Every structure is written in structure tokens, then in C-alpha cells.
């Protein structure tokens, strides 16, 4: 394709090109996004999703069978969910009715149901509900009767986890297929197709510098729609000379510099990034941790990584390096005062420090075990020695507190019961094998064994 682009699609005078573009706009060609104009016509033209529509794969077999089960397509934007839904409806010879959950109402759903008894719905209707997570429970429930009878086949799509956002009765009647981000090497085919189509529509001789298609494919973050939008921008932004346009690599880089960002502060991607950051630090991979920090900061999210880094310092590094939380707090404070972009420097310092520090989750494990006992109702009383010393009311069989003050004893230690009676002897904390915790363990083992001796 790259060589074909360099050869171009014929030279036309500038005046003829402009006239041609106005004609196309009047026909609605130019105004329609390139992602829609370049939509694949066959299964084999769909880029990505080989795990679903590759030869012998389940969704491909369903499409070819002509039989339609209810399905939910889950995955990022621009990965082919709508395209595949259209192909499924066309192959089954059924009318496709599309609604978007962001603006659909009960009236819209009733209008679709009303078509069932008309000539348009005599073969059944495929209802494609895009962004179904935005429909409320009542709206989703209104479809159940028709889905159950088979008069409406539901294909729903969502960018959010369907098990969190879709009504259980709908889920139980549908099969979930997960669409994944399109790898750059596969997205490149869609980018090439987009350049070819724009050149044909505008009757341009279009030349691409080496690396343009590959850069756009890499920069789209697995979103083919973004890639095709960038293709159209590149052609529009390129200078026209005698009916010829050249898309330079520099122009492609300028227009795709932030296309790789896929981020929603209230969505799964937000929590996935924070989870990836923490797990990379926990796994002592500073390079991966820096990558996920960079993605968060590039999206302009400063406070979320700050908060998560403080959690990591306590949860994952903990007592193996107790000073870490103080250092990270200083880095976080500096980052908040500096703001972006300079905030990236102290935060990078905190990430590298935490990733390369020794790890211990013993404090976290200990408090979780203690919380479990409290929530189970254990240990509701106090040893008498820990109660307020004035607690010697009438009827108290054990007059006097009998508290032993450790500072009055050698090594500032004396044995006495601190846990409630029903938890006496319970061990929540077990030191990890790192020098800080082992040093503390050795110190107290020596003192306590001396007292017992």
C-alpha cells in the first residue's frame, strides 16, 4: 500500500480538485467520518480480533451460520464492535436497528418493538445497543420479553465491564465476547486502506513518507477509529500543490502525539492503570512502573498516582523500608506544589525508589487479620490491666488495675496479657525476611527470652 500511495491516484488540476470536494460534500461523502466510509465489508477485512473472528474461531462461526444468539461485545472503542454487529445482521438477513445508550429512551425502545408487527420486522430485528451501560435497569428490563421470545436479537456493546454495568437478567440471556485493542501491525492495514480511500475520493496523487502508516498505527493505542481520524487529518493538513499532497512523517507525528491515550478517570482504564502501576512496583519492575506513571501523567491525572504511591509505600514496602513512606510523602507534596509537567520528576523518583526497595506486606497482612477478628465479633472485652484505672465500681470482683508499667522494668519490658481473653495468644504479625524486620525480631527475641529465662 505504501508503494501504491507513492505512485498516487492520478493528477488533477487544483480547481478541479476543489470542485470535486464540494460535490462529494453535497453527496454526504466528505461529511461522514472516514472511519464509517472505510468500514470493512467482509469478515476478512476486519483488523484485529483474530481470537474471535479468525478461521475456526467462535464468533466467525456464528456469523457464518446465520443463526443469531444474543451477544454482548465488551472492549475498548474503535476495535470493530459495531462493524461486526452490522455484518452479523446482514448475513442473517435481518434488519439492524441501532440505538445508543447515551441518548436512548424508553420511547425509542418501544419504537423498535413496534416494528415487530410490520413488514420491516417480519424476519425479526437485530437491535444493536451501543454503550448499553448507560441504560438504566428499567430500560434494560423492557427488552427481556422480546429477547426471551426471540423476536428481538440483542447485540449490545460496552466499553465497561459488563458484569458490573449490565442487568443480570440480560447477562444470563447473552454470551459475552471480549474485543481487544488492535495490535499496531494489524491496525496498519486499516490505515493504508484509509489513505487509499481518501485519495480516491478526492482524486489526489497522494505520497506518504516512509514510516507514516506505521507511526499512525502505533500511535492510535489500538483504536482503529482514532487511526482513521488521524489519516483524514493528515490529508487535510498536508499542503496541496498541483493536485498533489505529501504526508510527511513529521506531520503524522504532530497529529498523533496524543492519540495513544485511552483514559477515562471514571472508567475501567483509570483503575487498570493504577492497578498496573501498583503491581509493577510490587513486582520490582521500575521500568514498567515508570511507563504506567507516564500514561497517568500524560492524561493530566496528578492526584490519583500521588495517592496510590502513598498506599504502595505502606502496603507493599512497609516495614522492609519504613522510611519509604516519609520520602514518598515528600515527593508527593513536592509534585502537588509544582504541578505538571514538573511534578513528573519527584513522582518518578518515588516510583523508582518504591520499585527498587525491599518489599514487605506484613503490616498490611497483620491489620487485615485483626480486622477479620473484629468484624467476626471476637475480642470485645479488655484485659483488666488495660482498662481505665478508676474502673473500680461497685460489683467489680477484681478491684485494682494490676497494670505493670514497662518503663519500670529492665529493658523496658515486662510480660502481661494485652489481648482480650478470647484472643489471648493470637499472632497477627509475622516478620518478613528483610534486615529491618529481622533486626527488630532479633532484638525482642533476645529480651523476651531473657525474661522468660
Amino acid at each position: 500500500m505504501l508503494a501504491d500511495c507513492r505512485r498516487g491516484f492520478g493528477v488533477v488540476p487544483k480547481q478541479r480538485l476543489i470542485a470535486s470536494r464540494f460535490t462529494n460534500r453535497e453527496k454526504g461523502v466528505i461529511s461522514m467520518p472516514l472511519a464509517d466510509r472505510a468500514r470493512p465489508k467482509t469478515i476478512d477485512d476486519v483488523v484485529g480480533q483474530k481470537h474471535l473472528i479468525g478461521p475456526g474461531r467462535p464468533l466467525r462461526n456464528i456469523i457464518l451460520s446465520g443463526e443469531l444468539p444474543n451477544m454482548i461485545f465488551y472492549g475498548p472503542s474503535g476495535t470493530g464492535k459495531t462493524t461486526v454487529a452490522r455484518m452479523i445482521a446482514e448475513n442473517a438477513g435481518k434488519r439492524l436497528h441501532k440505538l445508543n445508550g447515551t441518548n436512548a429512551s424508553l420511547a425509542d425502545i418501544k419504537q423498535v418493538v413496534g416494528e415487530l408487527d410490520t413488514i420491516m420486522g417480519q424476519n425479526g430485528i437485530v437491535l444493536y445497543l451501543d454503550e448499553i451501560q448507560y441504560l438504566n435497569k428499567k430500560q434494560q428490563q423492557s427488552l427481556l420479553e422480546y429477547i426471551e421470545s426471540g423476536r428481538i436479537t440483542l447485540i449490545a456493546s460496552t466499553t465497561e465491564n459488563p458484569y458490573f454495568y449490565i442487568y443480570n437478567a440480560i447477562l444470563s440471556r447473552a454470551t459475552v465476547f471480549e474485543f481487544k485493542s488492535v495490535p499496531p501491525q494489524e491496525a496498519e492495514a486499516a490505515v493504508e486502506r484509509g489513505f487509499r480511500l481518501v485519495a480516491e475520493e478526492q482524486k489526489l496523487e497522494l505520497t506518504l513518507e516512509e514510516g507514516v502508516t506505521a507511526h499512525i498505527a502505533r500511535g492510535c493505542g489500538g483504536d482503529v477509529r482514532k487511526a482513521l481520524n488521524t489519516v483524514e487529518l493528515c490529508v487535510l493538513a498536508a499542503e496541496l500543490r498541483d493536485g498533489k499532497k505529501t504526508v510527511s512523517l513529521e506531520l503524522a507525528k504532530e497529529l498523533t502525539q496524543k492519540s495513544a491515550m485511552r483514559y477515562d478517570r471514571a472508567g475501567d482504564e483509570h483503575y487498570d492503570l493504577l492497578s498496573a502501576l501498583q503491581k509493577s512496583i510490587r513486582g520490582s519492575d521500575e521500568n514498567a512502573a515508570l511507563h504506567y506513571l507516564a500514561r497517568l501523567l500524560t492524561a493530566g491525572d496528578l492526584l490519583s498516582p500521588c495517592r496510590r504511591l502513598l498506599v504502595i509505600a505502606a502496603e507493599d514496602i512497609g516495614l522492609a523500608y519504613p522510611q519509604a513512606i516519609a520520602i514518598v510523602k515528600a515527593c508527593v507534596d513536592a509534585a502537588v506544589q509544582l504541578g505538571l509537567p514538573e511534578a513528573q520528576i519527584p513522582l518518578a523518583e518515588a516510583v523508582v525508589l518504591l520499585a527498587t526497595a525491599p518489599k514487605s506486606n506484613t503490616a498490611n497482612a497483620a491489620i487485615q487479620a485483626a480486622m477479620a477478628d473484629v468484624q467476626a465479633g471476637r475480642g470485645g472485652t479488655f484485659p483488666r490491666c488495660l482498662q481505665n484505672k478508676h474502673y473500680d465500681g461497685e460489683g467489680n470482683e477484681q478491684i485494682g488495675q494490676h497494670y505493670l508499667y514497662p518503663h519500670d522494668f529492665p529493658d523496658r519490658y515486662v510480660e502481661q496479657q494485652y489481648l482480650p481473653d478470647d484472643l489471648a495468644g493470637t499472632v497477627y504479625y509475622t516478620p518478613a525476611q528483610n534486615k529491618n524486620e529481622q533486626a527488630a525480631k532479633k532484638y525482642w527475641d533476645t529480651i523476651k527470652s531473657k525474661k522468660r529465662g
Side-chain angles (χ1 to χ4, degrees), residues 177-340:
F177 292 97
E178 183 176 0
F179 283 61
K180 298 180 180 179
S181 296
V182 180
Q185 61 272 23
E186 296 187 44
E188 197 167 346
V191 172
E192 292 170 350
R193 185 167 66 237
F195 273 121
R196 186 184 296 277
L197 179 60
V198 173
E200 289 174 349
E201 289 175 347
Q202 299 191 19
K203 297 180 173 58
L204 284 173
E205 182 178 333
L206 188 61
T207 303
L208 307 180
E209 284 187 359
E210 188 70 37
V212 166
T213 55
H215 180 81
I216 294 173
R218 283 196 309 272
C220 70
D223 185 333
V224 175
R225 186 181 294 110
K226 275 187 178 181
L228 291 174
N229 288 342
T230 304
V231 166
E232 194 156 34
L233 284 173
C234 284
V235 177
L236 289 172
E239 186 177 357
L240 178 66
R241 292 183 180 178
D242 299 324
K244 301 178 183 180
K245 283 191 175 185
T246 298
V247 177
S248 66
L249 182 56
E250 181 182 356
L251 177 62
K253 287 180 177 179
E254 182 179 348
L255 293 175
T256 60
Q257 60 184 345
K258 290 205 173 185
S259 293
M261 289 308 304
R262 186 193 294 280
Y263 190 70
D264 178 357
R265 292 192 190 195
D268 287 346
E269 188 74 10
H270 167 78
Y271 297 104
D272 285 346
L273 274 176
L274 291 173
S275 176
L277 173 66
Q278 181 162 7
K279 288 171 181 173
S280 297
I281 291 175
R282 183 183 296 152
S284 301
D285 189 332
E286 64 273 18
N287 297 303
L290 286 167
H291 169 77
Y292 295 117
L293 174 66
R295 284 169 64 171
L296 286 159
L297 297 182
T298 303
D301 190 347
L302 175 59
L303 296 182
S304 294
C306 285
R307 179 180 180 276
R308 185 57 65 103
L309 289 173
L310 288 168
V311 171
I312 295 167
E315 180 181 348
D316 295 303
I317 283 71
L319 296 172
Y321 184 27
Q323 300 91 330
I325 194 165
I327 298 171
V328 170
K329 177 63 164 61
C331 290
V332 164
D333 288 346
V336 171
Q337 285 190 336
L338 288 169
L340 290 170

Side-chain angles (χ1 to χ4, degrees), residues 57-86:
R57 301 309 298 167
L59 189 53
R60 184 188 187 95
N61 293 339
I62 289 172
I63 295 172
L64 296 177
S65 73
E67 298 294 327
L68 298 186
N70 298 304
M71 292 175 279
I72 295 171
F73 293 166
Y74 159 51
S77 301
T79 52
K81 299 188 294 295
T82 302
T83 296
V84 172
R86 288 181 185 277

Side-chain angles (χ1 to χ4, degrees), residues 84-143:
V84 172
R86 288 181 185 277
M87 290 180 181
I88 288 173
E90 289 172 3
N91 205 56
K94 294 189 176 184
R95 173 175 168 78
L96 178 69
H97 207 302
K98 182 178 178 181
L99 294 178
N100 192 294
T102 59
N103 54 23
S105 64
L106 271 175
D108 295 319
I109 295 173
K110 288 178 180 177
Q111 183 177 351
V112 174
V113 170
E115 289 188 10
L116 290 172
D117 297 322
T118 69
I119 191 170
M120 291 185 293
Q122 61 183 353
N123 293 326
I125 289 175
V126 176
L127 173 59
Y128 179 61
L129 260 177
D130 197 12
E131 304 292 354
I132 188 176
Q133 73 270 18
Y134 291 108
L135 293 184
N136 61 39
K137 185 175 180 179
K138 185 176 181 180
Q139 289 172 316
Q140 294 186 35
Q141 284 178 318
S142 67
L143 294 167

Side-chain angles (χ1 to χ4, degrees), residues 382-389 401 403 416-420:
F382 305 90
R384 179 66 187 98
C385 66
L386 300 188
Q387 288 180 297
N388 189 306
K389 66 180 179 180
Q401 188 181 29
Y403 172 60
Q416 63 186 321
Q417 182 181 328
Y418 292 97
L419 276 167

